[in-house]
Amino acid sequence: MKSAFIQPRFIGARFNEHTLPLDVASDLRAYEELIVELAKRLYLKDNPSRQRVPKGFDADFHLHLEQIEPGSSRPLLSIVAAGTLLLPGANGDYFQQSKELVNECIAAEQGRLPEAFPRDLLKYFNRFGRSLRSDEKVEFSLSSGTATLTPERRKHLVLAGDKEYEREIEINGFVEEADWQKSSFRLRHLDGSKSTIPMSQAFHDQIRKIGGNQRHLVSVSGIGAFDEWDRLRKVLTSDSIEIQTNYELSRRFEELKDLKDGWFDGAGCAPNPDLLDEIAEKMVSDYPKRLVLPAIVATPEGNLLLEWDNDMDPSVDLILEERSASFHAFDPDGSDIERVFPLTNKQEWDSFFNSLDTFAGEEDSA
Amino acid sequence: MNLETLLLRQAHSNFVVDGQLTSQAFCPFPKDDGELSVYDGDQITAERSFEHYTDTQGLDSAGVWAVSKGEVDSAGVSAHPSPLDNFPEHASINFNECAENKWRKIAKLLKRKALNRGCQFALEE
């Protein structure tokens, strides 16, 4: 047997094509769990002599996504039951009551939640609605009016029952150290604050390679717990970890790539983007981690200057079209040290990087 | 202009990376035929030169650094006044006295002197 249960309306740019992103599936799953848990509480309230609900109380309650109708995106969720749930007088009424109560809870004014709604179940809103973006919402029809769940409303609902609420995070920083026993690492955010990030075994190799090296930026996507002032209190899960090797260098090359002809007060050629990519790839992947990074600027001719800040004043003029590097430094006696390096293959690049050993200076920490 | 005269150079923001001044700020632009434009510090302060450069001329400057005429001479190039219409404080450092492949070295010598003296003026962040 099949019976329509609810048809929420998802509103936002992602739903304009009358489709439902898979992200939302986990929200609907949480909704189903909330309906079941609340129905159990309602049953027990009506039957105070019972310690628990009858065996198989919710065994027949399964929400299925039957179809998605236009009007933004309106998934029709139906109960598909093999047993007696949908028969008159069966426990199905409790699921209907549960649905109404969830809707009332969403629609309630701030601080005026329905008394019948158990406060400890508000935690389900940590997951139900979590995939919504800031400009998205879900509407549920009430007998009079509409209940609207927005990210902000979701936050307030959770915080009505707890001190923290959960939402998706994407944070960037550097791995300071790892705790393999606890399977976690300490991330220093770009603003200097720190978080402990739990990680699955699958991320161990990646973290082992870059741990302690502040040249590699780590982007963590997962779930974080926030307080009512939206301060991150704890990272709960890390679902994906991406590593940007030699982040400072790649950021600098991205900036250089943004230069347009005329960047120097109306004059100045922009570096050729293809040649710049070629140089960037070599520098980002192979620049020795033991060496201090150079300042890199474009020259008005569309080439690059690399310069290190130390007593020998080493510099390299990279001529992109020629794929060559003109090196210059001052010897301590004041004389010039000059060399030209062709940079047309890996061997020549390696030779170039090796020659910087004497001049670029070593990083304080690896 | 004498050996003590400070020559004020505006550093384009693309030549200062994370606060580090590069020698490109002291390297002549090809179209300028080896002449590096500076302000004559005997005629204008660093702050006024910055205002003139950015507000009056509408050009980009991350800050003002200075080398003396004596330092320019000892680097192997020369400085001379080159006043323009409505811009009497304009002066030039002439790099043409050296081969072009020596310009980087000279620019670095000038940058060293300028860094020793410190930034003369920059807007606070």
Side-chain angles (χ1 to χ4, degrees), chain A residues 28-43:
Chain A
L28 296 178
R29 174 74 182 154
Y31 175 74
E32 184 186 46
E33 290 175 22
L34 171 58
I35 293 294
V36 169
E37 192 56 36
L38 183 54
K40 287 180 182 173
R41 301 289 183 94
L42 293 173
Y43 175 89

PDB file of all heavy atoms in Angstrom, chain A residues 28-43:
ATOM      1  N   LEU A  28      16.497  14.480   4.245  1.00  0.00           N
ATOM      2  CA  LEU A  28      15.220  13.774   4.254  1.00  0.00           C
ATOM      3  C   LEU A  28      15.300  12.521   5.128  1.00  0.00           C
ATOM      4  O   LEU A  28      14.333  12.144   5.793  1.00  0.00           O
ATOM      5  CB  LEU A  28      14.806  13.411   2.824  1.00  0.00           C
ATOM      6  CG  LEU A  28      14.542  14.620   1.912  1.00  0.00           C
ATOM      7  CD1 LEU A  28      14.198  14.168   0.500  1.00  0.00           C
ATOM      8  CD2 LEU A  28      13.412  15.490   2.470  1.00  0.00           C
ATOM      9  N   ARG A  29      16.457  11.923   5.131  1.00  0.00           N
ATOM     10  CA  ARG A  29      16.675  10.761   5.991  1.00  0.00           C
ATOM     11  C   ARG A  29      16.531  11.182   7.458  1.00  0.00           C
ATOM     12  O   ARG A  29      15.891  10.486   8.259  1.00  0.00           O
ATOM     13  CB  ARG A  29      18.080  10.197   5.722  1.00  0.00           C
ATOM     14  CG  ARG A  29      18.512   9.099   6.628  1.00  0.00           C
ATOM     15  CD  ARG A  29      17.822   7.798   6.307  1.00  0.00           C
ATOM     16  NE  ARG A  29      18.205   6.749   7.224  1.00  0.00           N
ATOM     17  CZ  ARG A  29      17.455   5.703   7.514  1.00  0.00           C
ATOM     18  NH1 ARG A  29      16.277   5.557   6.945  1.00  0.00           N
ATOM     19  NH2 ARG A  29      17.869   4.788   8.362  1.00  0.00           N
ATOM     20  N   ALA A  30      17.112  12.324   7.800  1.00  0.00           N
ATOM     21  CA  ALA A  30      17.013  12.822   9.178  1.00  0.00           C
ATOM     22  C   ALA A  30      15.563  13.170   9.506  1.00  0.00           C
ATOM     23  O   ALA A  30      15.097  12.957  10.637  1.00  0.00           O
ATOM     24  CB  ALA A  30      17.907  14.045   9.358  1.00  0.00           C
ATOM     25  N   TYR A  31      14.859  13.694   8.514  1.00  0.00           N
ATOM     26  CA  TYR A  31      13.433  14.027   8.720  1.00  0.00           C
ATOM     27  C   TYR A  31      12.655  12.766   9.066  1.00  0.00           C
ATOM     28  O   TYR A  31      11.855  12.741  10.006  1.00  0.00           O
ATOM     29  CB  TYR A  31      12.880  14.679   7.451  1.00  0.00           C
ATOM     30  CG  TYR A  31      11.393  14.963   7.508  1.00  0.00           C
ATOM     31  CD1 TYR A  31      10.891  16.001   8.280  1.00  0.00           C
ATOM     32  CD2 TYR A  31      10.488  14.170   6.792  1.00  0.00           C
ATOM     33  CE1 TYR A  31       9.519  16.245   8.344  1.00  0.00           C
ATOM     34  CE2 TYR A  31       9.128  14.408   6.842  1.00  0.00           C
ATOM     35  CZ  TYR A  31       8.647  15.446   7.623  1.00  0.00           C
ATOM     36  OH  TYR A  31       7.292  15.685   7.684  1.00  0.00           O
ATOM     37  N   GLU A  32      12.909  11.712   8.316  1.00  0.00           N
ATOM     38  CA  GLU A  32      12.213  10.440   8.565  1.00  0.00           C
ATOM     39  C   GLU A  32      12.507   9.949   9.980  1.00  0.00           C
ATOM     40  O   GLU A  32      11.604   9.517  10.698  1.00  0.00           O
ATOM     41  CB  GLU A  32      12.678   9.405   7.540  1.00  0.00           C
ATOM     42  CG  GLU A  32      11.948   8.081   7.665  1.00  0.00           C
ATOM     43  CD  GLU A  32      12.525   7.027   6.730  1.00  0.00           C
ATOM     44  OE1 GLU A  32      13.768   6.896   6.680  1.00  0.00           O
ATOM     45  OE2 GLU A  32      11.753   6.359   6.038  1.00  0.00           O
ATOM     46  N   GLU A  33      13.758  10.032  10.391  1.00  0.00           N
ATOM     47  CA  GLU A  33      14.133   9.567  11.739  1.00  0.00           C
ATOM     48  C   GLU A  33      13.433  10.397  12.816  1.00  0.00           C
ATOM     49  O   GLU A  33      12.987   9.870  13.836  1.00  0.00           O
ATOM     50  CB  GLU A  33      15.651   9.645  11.916  1.00  0.00           C
ATOM     51  CG  GLU A  33      16.397   8.613  11.091  1.00  0.00           C
ATOM     52  CD  GLU A  33      17.909   8.790  11.179  1.00  0.00           C
ATOM     53  OE1 GLU A  33      18.391   9.397  12.147  1.00  0.00           O
ATOM     54  OE2 GLU A  33      18.612   8.338  10.250  1.00  0.00           O
ATOM     55  N   LEU A  34      13.335  11.704  12.555  1.00  0.00           N
ATOM     56  CA  LEU A  34      12.657  12.580  13.513  1.00  0.00           C
ATOM     57  C   LEU A  34      11.178  12.205  13.627  1.00  0.00           C
ATOM     58  O   LEU A  34      10.633  12.127  14.746  1.00  0.00           O
ATOM     59  CB  LEU A  34      12.811  14.048  13.065  1.00  0.00           C
ATOM     60  CG  LEU A  34      11.993  15.084  13.823  1.00  0.00           C
ATOM     61  CD1 LEU A  34      12.326  15.067  15.325  1.00  0.00           C
ATOM     62  CD2 LEU A  34      12.233  16.490  13.261  1.00  0.00           C
ATOM     63  N   ILE A  35      10.541  11.978  12.479  1.00  0.00           N
ATOM     64  CA  ILE A  35       9.120  11.620  12.496  1.00  0.00           C
ATOM     65  C   ILE A  35       8.905  10.338  13.314  1.00  0.00           C
ATOM     66  O   ILE A  35       8.003  10.257  14.148  1.00  0.00           O
ATOM     67  CB  ILE A  35       8.603  11.421  11.037  1.00  0.00           C
ATOM     68  CG1 ILE A  35       8.629  12.755  10.285  1.00  0.00           C
ATOM     69  CG2 ILE A  35       7.204  10.803  11.039  1.00  0.00           C
ATOM     70  CD1 ILE A  35       7.666  13.795  10.814  1.00  0.00           C
ATOM     71  N   VAL A  36       9.762   9.367  13.104  1.00  0.00           N
ATOM     72  CA  VAL A  36       9.621   8.082  13.814  1.00  0.00           C
ATOM     73  C   VAL A  36       9.826   8.276  15.315  1.00  0.00           C
ATOM     74  O   VAL A  36       9.016   7.817  16.141  1.00  0.00           O
ATOM     75  CB  VAL A  36      10.639   7.056  13.260  1.00  0.00           C
ATOM     76  CG1 VAL A  36      10.701   5.822  14.160  1.00  0.00           C
ATOM     77  CG2 VAL A  36      10.274   6.663  11.838  1.00  0.00           C
ATOM     78  N   GLU A  37      10.897   8.982  15.686  1.00  0.00           N
ATOM     79  CA  GLU A  37      11.199   9.155  17.104  1.00  0.00           C
ATOM     80  C   GLU A  37      10.086   9.933  17.808  1.00  0.00           C
ATOM     81  O   GLU A  37       9.681   9.597  18.935  1.00  0.00           O
ATOM     82  CB  GLU A  37      12.546   9.871  17.252  1.00  0.00           C
ATOM     83  CG  GLU A  37      13.120   9.877  18.645  1.00  0.00           C
ATOM     84  CD  GLU A  37      13.288   8.473  19.243  1.00  0.00           C
ATOM     85  OE1 GLU A  37      13.613   7.547  18.487  1.00  0.00           O
ATOM     86  OE2 GLU A  37      13.045   8.325  20.470  1.00  0.00           O
ATOM     87  N   LEU A  38       9.581  10.950  17.125  1.00  0.00           N
ATOM     88  CA  LEU A  38       8.518  11.760  17.720  1.00  0.00           C
ATOM     89  C   LEU A  38       7.224  10.941  17.833  1.00  0.00           C
ATOM     90  O   LEU A  38       6.500  11.046  18.836  1.00  0.00           O
ATOM     91  CB  LEU A  38       8.302  13.025  16.875  1.00  0.00           C
ATOM     92  CG  LEU A  38       7.267  14.022  17.392  1.00  0.00           C
ATOM     93  CD1 LEU A  38       7.554  14.432  18.842  1.00  0.00           C
ATOM     94  CD2 LEU A  38       7.242  15.266  16.504  1.00  0.00           C
ATOM     95  N   ALA A  39       6.933  10.121  16.824  1.00  0.00           N
ATOM     96  CA  ALA A  39       5.719   9.278  16.870  1.00  0.00           C
ATOM     97  C   ALA A  39       5.784   8.330  18.070  1.00  0.00           C
ATOM     98  O   ALA A  39       4.792   8.103  18.768  1.00  0.00           O
ATOM     99  CB  ALA A  39       5.593   8.491  15.564  1.00  0.00           C
ATOM    100  N   LYS A  40       6.969   7.806  18.345  1.00  0.00           N
ATOM    101  CA  LYS A  40       7.132   6.922  19.507  1.00  0.00           C
ATOM    102  C   LYS A  40       6.822   7.675  20.803  1.00  0.00           C
ATOM    103  O   LYS A  40       6.143   7.169  21.692  1.00  0.00           O
ATOM    104  CB  LYS A  40       8.571   6.390  19.565  1.00  0.00           C
ATOM    105  CG  LYS A  40       8.883   5.357  18.509  1.00  0.00           C
ATOM    106  CD  LYS A  40      10.346   4.913  18.679  1.00  0.00           C
ATOM    107  CE  LYS A  40      10.743   3.913  17.624  1.00  0.00           C
ATOM    108  NZ  LYS A  40      12.194   3.614  17.686  1.00  0.00           N
ATOM    109  N   ARG A  41       7.355   8.912  20.880  1.00  0.00           N
ATOM    110  CA  ARG A  41       7.106   9.708  22.102  1.00  0.00           C
ATOM    111  C   ARG A  41       5.603   9.995  22.266  1.00  0.00           C
ATOM    112  O   ARG A  41       5.082   9.965  23.376  1.00  0.00           O
ATOM    113  CB  ARG A  41       7.862  11.041  22.030  1.00  0.00           C
ATOM    114  CG  ARG A  41       9.363  10.910  21.892  1.00  0.00           C
ATOM    115  CD  ARG A  41      10.038  10.411  23.155  1.00  0.00           C
ATOM    116  NE  ARG A  41      11.474  10.379  22.955  1.00  0.00           N
ATOM    117  CZ  ARG A  41      12.290  11.377  23.301  1.00  0.00           C
ATOM    118  NH1 ARG A  41      11.806  12.450  23.877  1.00  0.00           N
ATOM    119  NH2 ARG A  41      13.582  11.261  23.083  1.00  0.00           N
ATOM    120  N   LEU A  42       4.951  10.277  21.153  1.00  0.00           N
ATOM    121  CA  LEU A  42       3.513  10.592  21.225  1.00  0.00           C
ATOM    122  C   LEU A  42       2.723   9.355  21.673  1.00  0.00           C
ATOM    123  O   LEU A  42       1.770   9.460  22.452  1.00  0.00           O
ATOM    124  CB  LEU A  42       3.019  11.084  19.862  1.00  0.00           C
ATOM    125  CG  LEU A  42       3.594  12.434  19.406  1.00  0.00           C
ATOM    126  CD1 LEU A  42       3.188  12.758  17.966  1.00  0.00           C
ATOM    127  CD2 LEU A  42       3.164  13.565  20.336  1.00  0.00           C
ATOM    128  N   TYR A  43       3.143   8.205  21.166  1.00  0.00           N
ATOM    129  CA  TYR A  43       2.468   6.956  21.559  1.00  0.00           C
ATOM    130  C   TYR A  43       2.627   6.734  23.067  1.00  0.00           C
ATOM    131  O   TYR A  43       1.664   6.426  23.771  1.00  0.00           O
ATOM    132  CB  TYR A  43       3.053   5.774  20.773  1.00  0.00           C
ATOM    133  CG  TYR A  43       2.492   4.457  21.210  1.00  0.00           C
ATOM    134  CD1 TYR A  43       1.325   3.946  20.626  1.00  0.00           C
ATOM    135  CD2 TYR A  43       3.101   3.732  22.230  1.00  0.00           C
ATOM    136  CE1 TYR A  43       0.783   2.739  21.058  1.00  0.00           C
ATOM    137  CE2 TYR A  43       2.578   2.527  22.671  1.00  0.00           C
ATOM    138  CZ  TYR A  43       1.412   2.027  22.078  1.00  0.00           C
ATOM    139  OH  TYR A  43       0.890   0.833  22.530  1.00  0.00           O
TER     140      TYR A  43
END
